Amino acid sequence: MASQTQFKGTPVNVAGKFVTAGMKAPDFSLTKADLSRFTLAEGKGKKLLLNIFPSIDTPVCSLSVRKFNELAAQMKNTLVLCISKDLPFAQSRFCAAEGIKNAMTLSDFHYASTFGKDYGVLMTDGPLSGLLTRSVVIIDAAGKIAYARTTNDIVDEPDYEAALKALAQA
């Protein structure tokens, strides 16, 4: 079952069903900056904040990476994972230029990845078809989704305050 988001007010279809609080987090395998893989299992026992967005090279996406790097990454037992379809090289370049040291960028560029569909964040039409919609998902230390929000329109910033509150309670 597909869901929808918006891009500048125009509806955009999304593959899969967006994850919901209380469900077991779907497994994933994404590419780190050094081209090795990062899996959900590697985050076991920690709280994970998944900052999901279309491209690190856009103003709102880069702002969310900077804000979560500053705010959420300071929380105990927490990993901030910034996830997009950008190549790891572009993500690394951005982090070096911006001084991002507390958040980990992960790429969903690999053709075999099912992350976008499994989490219900892969846009299937519109001008950004094939990229991920702007969402924040928090996975608790036990591997359950504690918080899941997608923005009404992908050009909007996520609700940082609500995400940080949910992270603190996870």
Side-chain angles (χ1 to χ4, degrees):
M1 177 173 176
S3 55
Q4 281 191 335
T5 189
Q6 291 186 37
F7 177 63
K8 297 183 178 178
T10 301
V12 173
N13 289 306
V14 179
K17 186 173 189 290
F18 188 57
V19 294
T20 57
M23 71 183 283
K24 182 178 186 249
D27 198 12
F28 61 80
S29 177
L30 299 167
T31 305
K32 297 191 294 190
D34 66 1
L35 301 180
S36 65
R37 305 301 282 174
F38 181 91
T39 64
L40 178 62
E42 290 178 65
K44 186 177 181 181
K46 294 187 179 289
K47 295 188 276 186
L48 306 177
L49 184 147
L50 281 56
N51 176 28
I52 304 164
F53 50 88
S55 175
I56 205 160
D57 285 323
T58 63
V60 176
C61 299
S62 61
L63 178 63
S64 72
V65 171
R66 286 192 301 271
K67 279 195 172 186
F68 282 128
N69 175 66
E70 176 186 329
L71 302 170
Q74 304 306 319
M75 301 180 99
K76 285 187 170 198
N77 199 38
T78 300
L79 289 177
V80 176
L81 308 176
C82 298
I83 303 168
S84 68
K85 290 276 190 175
D86 293 299
L87 291 176
F89 316 113
Q91 292 174 336
S92 293
R93 180 190 70 241
F94 173 84
C95 290
E98 295 289 329
I100 305 295
K101 300 199 185 298
N102 300 320
M104 179 187 302
T105 54
L106 297 172
S107 178
D108 186 35
F109 84 96
H110 198 273
Y111 74 93
S113 176
T114 60
F115 174 83
K117 186 175 180 185
D118 293 346
Y119 277 74
V121 295
L122 178 66
M123 291 182 277
T124 59
D125 58 17
L128 300 179
S129 178
L131 298 181
L132 306 176
T133 190
R134 185 173 325 284
S135 306
V136 176
V137 175
I138 295 172
I139 302 171
D140 68 18
K144 292 222 184 263
I145 295 180
Y147 175 90
R149 297 286 183 281
T150 190
T151 58
N152 291 331
D153 195 306
I154 64 168
V155 299
D156 298 333
E157 287 183 66
D159 185 340
Y160 302 106
E161 188 175 312
L164 293 172
K165 183 178 178 183
L167 183 61
Q169 294 172 349

